Amino acid sequence: MVLLSRAGPSYYIRTEKIRCKAGKNTVFSTGNNFKPYKVKETSVGFLPLSRNSATKTQILQAGVGSRRGHRVTVAASPPTEDAVVVAQPLTKDDLVGYLASGCKTKENWRIGTEHEKFGFEFGSLRPMKYAQIAELLHSIAERFDWEKIMEGDNIIGLKQGKQSISLEPGGQFELSGAPLETLHQTCAEVNSHLYQVKAVAEEMGIGFLGIGFQPKWGVKDIPIMPKGRYDIMRNYMPKVGSLGLDMMFRTCTVQVNLDFSSEADMIRKFRVGLALQPIATALFANSPFTEGKPNGYLSMRSQIWTDTDRNRTGMLPFVFDDSFGFEKYVDYALDVPMYFVYRKKKYIDCTGMTFRDFLAGKLPCIPGELPTLNDWENHLTTIFPEVRLKRYLEMRGADGGPWRRLCALPAFWVGLLYDEVSLQNILDMTADWTQEERQMLRDKVPITGLKTPFRDGLLRHVAEDVLKLAKDGLERRGFKESGFLNEVTEVVRTGVTPAEKLLELYHGKWEQSVDPVFEELLY
């Protein structure tokens, strides 16, 4: 845990040192911080550091630090304010050290859950307009004491402690939860958030839908949110894939962010996450409709990622190489084309250029300028593989869904990745899976779900064993959390995904109309 104290004009930082291999760097942990929070005008160091001497060091808002020689690098915060940029340029070692600084001792591992949902007008079922979203955000802030996040004159999000509410490109409403210790706390956080949103939204005639893909409206019908980075992405996406705009404007997901103790622990969890991500996609498949009709997929949301931008998506085969570690991920991320650089509260279009060029001061969009750790952190958020590495690991394969499934998704991954016995059993189970098999599952699961053939059976049979290991892992944690898996137990037992249940209703009780889904999956 980082402790920041003030004594006169000087500041101090104390950190807990843990072992975490990342090249030759010594890395310091920040305990349970998932997402560094902003500290306005702070100087940070390992010794008393005056504000004047802070200009000799690169300071980037409070977060994690790693020491290299006489320098201290401090991890970046999201692009809300520009970082202070001084003195020595970043090196590749700094970028590796940034990832490695996420290492935490097991007692400091936490659970961070994020989920998105579609807002719509009762009656017309049309997506919320930005004016309605702005009213909703202002009202939540005033009624429930959230801090407003502005971009220019537009409200674009809220913050309260370590929770934040943000807007996706098409107005999808996202809660990024705080790093929490137990799944009970996670589910309580979800319930509190949904209560607050509903309390305001219902007065406005607005509802929220828990599904993975917009079931009724086309891209042309979706309002565009006034966020600068989305303008850049919207212009770039059609150049690199046919479904990028669908990803931006018509998908919703739920994901969980989890910690690791060392580089070796990160590697094990990353490999398990990638190997089993298709199972999570199947268990939570919940996006079978497009513009009012079945689209031929159980998870259209998952399918969309296959033709969004191949340079920044996928199953990352190199994670299974013997040489994989923090440095290999940095090498990958350095060559993923950039979207933007954030300067003076504006997004500068740097599409198609690489962070490797930025590191060398060779970005034509800002000639001669060098990156900060803020820039690196921002760039990492524009990479979209099935599992993503930041200073924690993000499990990204699941469709959005109703609230019980929002608690089941973190339960699934916590039971597998936070218990040593279950983690090792999964590693043993998947050790001989080939790259071709993993890719086959990724390609076919969005269509056939748990009925996807795998080796001498179906993916459902593998999912049965995996779910048992997840339950056992939760029980060994000792927090009585295994009940959160009840929502997916029936899915595994029958092999029938949530999407298949929706399709059955569509062809039967709903008489081939998708409109009833807005009531069926209403929060």
Side-chain angles (χ1 to χ4, degrees):
M1 178 176 180
V2 170
L3 302 175
L4 194 64
S5 61
R6 181 172 178 178
S10 300
Y11 291 76
Y12 301 80
I13 191 167
R14 187 163 73 244
T15 62
E16 174 190 5
K17 184 176 178 181
I18 62 176
R19 298 178 183 272
C20 184
K21 180 177 175 292
K24 297 179 181 178
N25 299 320
T26 301
V27 179
F28 296 81
S29 164
T30 56
N32 63 2
N33 274 353
F34 270 82
K35 295 185 176 177
Y37 53 91
K38 184 176 72 175
V39 176
K40 299 177 182 176
E41 193 183 347
T42 310
S43 300
V44 181
F46 286 93
L47 297 171
L49 184 67
S50 72
R51 292 187 183 187
N52 291 334
S53 65
T55 60
K56 299 176 182 177
T57 306
Q58 183 179 45
I59 305 291
L60 296 169
Q61 281 121 0
V64 269
S66 71
R67 187 163 192 164
R68 292 183 181 77
H70 67 280
R71 284 193 301 149
V72 178
T73 54
V74 182
S77 59
T80 51
E81 297 293 339
D82 291 353
V84 179
V85 185
V86 192
Q88 301 173 5
L90 288 179
T91 67
K92 180 179 164 184
D93 279 351
D94 293 320
L95 308 185
V96 173
Y98 171 80
L99 295 180
S101 67
C103 296
K104 298 175 178 66
T105 52
K106 186 170 183 176
E107 61 267 24
N108 287 319
W109 290 355
R110 295 294 182 265
I111 306 160
T113 304
E114 303 181 23
H115 80 269
E116 302 162 353
K117 49 204 167 294
F118 294 108
F120 66 95
E121 299 174 347
F122 291 136
S124 73
L125 305 182
R126 285 195 165 273
M128 280 196 301
K129 303 176 184 69
Y130 174 71
Q132 294 168 310
I133 291 172
E135 181 184 347
L136 179 62
L137 288 171
H138 282 299
S139 297
I140 292 172
E142 289 154 11
R143 194 175 302 187
F144 298 106
D145 196 27
W146 289 71
E147 178 186 348
K148 299 175 184 180
I149 300 171
M150 308 295 292
E151 186 171 312
D153 295 329
N154 296 313
I155 186 168
I156 59 166
L158 302 173
K159 187 170 179 60
Q160 186 181 78
K162 294 180 181 179
Q163 297 181 78
S164 63
I165 296 171
S166 58
L167 299 180
E168 292 301 296
Q172 303 96 315
F173 223 64
E174 178 179 8
L175 173 71
S176 295
L180 300 171
E181 200 166 350
T182 72
L183 292 163
H184 300 290
Q185 294 168 352
T186 294
C187 210
E189 177 187 66
V190 168
N191 287 339
S192 173
H193 168 73
L194 292 177
Y195 166 77
Q196 292 181 14
V197 171
K198 282 186 66 173
V200 177
E202 287 182 350
E203 295 173 1
M204 300 171 54
I206 297 294
F208 281 91
L209 178 67
I211 199 167
F213 188 75
Q214 166 57 248
K216 185 176 178 69
W217 305 103
V219 170
K220 68 182 187 308
D221 302 308
I222 310 296
I224 298 172
M225 297 301 103
K227 295 176 70 171
R229 64 186 291 171
Y230 296 154
D231 288 338
I232 293 169
M233 291 172 66
R234 189 173 77 252
N235 293 330
Y236 181 68
M237 286 293 187
K239 301 174 184 177
V240 291
S242 67
L243 299 176
L245 296 182
D246 287 303
M247 180 278 292
M248 290 180 65
F249 293 103
R250 297 205 285 178
T251 62
C252 279
T253 187
V254 54
Q255 70 179 49
V256 62
N257 306 326
L258 298 173
D259 283 317
F260 43 81
S261 62
S262 65
E263 184 172 50
D265 189 44
M266 178 278 293
I267 293 167
R268 298 163 78 219
K269 288 172 176 172
F270 208 147
R271 289 173 177 170
V272 166
L274 283 171
L276 298 188
Q277 211 61 221
I279 291 179
T281 298
L283 291 177
F284 294 87
N286 192 42
S287 48
F289 305 119
T290 299
E291 296 179 26
K293 297 178 181 178
N295 52 35
Y297 295 92
L298 302 179
S299 178
M300 185 63 187
R301 183 208 59 83
S302 180
Q303 177 64 21
I304 279 167
W305 282 111
T306 66
D307 194 11
T308 291
D309 183 345
R310 293 182 186 274
N311 287 320
R312 66 185 74 243
T313 60
M315 292 289 283
L316 306 187
F318 66 86
V319 171
F320 295 88
D321 294 346
D322 291 342
S323 60
F324 178 68
F326 292 122
E327 184 174 1
K328 286 290 184 183
Y329 194 86
V330 167
D331 282 331
Y332 157 71
L334 281 173
D335 293 320
V336 172
M338 296 177 64
Y339 283 152
F340 59 80
V341 172
Y342 189 73
R343 290 291 183 273
K344 297 179 182 178
K345 300 186 178 181
K346 291 185 179 179
Y347 291 92
I348 300 169
D349 188 337
C350 296
T351 50
M353 307 167 200
T354 70
F355 208 92
R356 194 179 297 277
D357 289 336
F358 196 7
L359 211 57
K362 296 179 180 178
L363 279 194
C365 57
I366 46 172
E369 192 159 339
L370 295 170
T372 68
L373 281 180
N374 258 13
D375 296 319
W376 178 237
E377 185 175 55
N378 296 340
H379 179 57
L380 292 177
T381 68
T382 68
I383 301 172
F384 308 121
E386 293 296 292
V387 178
R388 180 162 65 186
L389 176 62
K390 295 181 181 174
R391 292 186 298 134
Y392 44 87
L393 286 166
E394 299 179 350
M395 304 294 125
R396 295 175 46 83
D399 287 1
W403 77 264
R404 282 188 176 85
R405 263 177 257 155
L406 302 182
C407 303
L409 188 276
F412 177 78
W413 288 114
V414 167
L416 296 173
L417 300 186
Y418 274 10
D419 176 76
E420 181 61 31
V421 175
S422 291
L423 178 60
Q424 188 57 52
N425 280 332
I426 293 292
L427 285 165
D428 294 342
M429 177 192 300
T430 60
D432 66 342
W433 291 14
T434 66
Q435 177 183 329
E436 292 73 23
E437 285 176 321
R438 292 192 299 269
Q439 189 61 49
M440 178 276 294
L441 291 175
R442 171 66 186 90
D443 293 340
K444 292 189 175 180
V445 158
I447 305 168
T448 50
L450 292 172
K451 298 178 177 65
T452 302
F454 185 71
R455 296 193 173 181
D456 57 353
L458 300 175
L459 188 61
R460 178 169 69 87
H461 303 133
V462 182
E464 287 174 345
D465 295 335
V466 169
L467 187 63
K468 174 67 163 58
L469 289 171
K471 285 185 175 180
D472 291 346
L474 289 179
E475 287 171 4
R476 280 189 289 268
R477 270 170 55 84
F479 294 118
K480 300 186 183 300
E481 298 166 316
S482 59
F484 290 113
L485 289 174
N486 290 345
E487 188 70 10
V488 292
T489 300
E490 184 70 5
V491 176
V492 172
R493 188 186 69 79
T494 62
V496 178
T497 63
E500 288 165 292
K501 291 186 176 181
L502 293 178
L503 287 167
E504 182 180 348
L505 287 168
Y506 173 86
H507 289 294
K509 180 180 177 182
W510 295 353
E511 298 179 339
Q512 300 190 352
S513 169
V514 298
D515 289 3
V517 79
F518 287 85
E519 183 176 352
E520 180 75 19
L521 297 182
L522 176 70
Y523 283 111

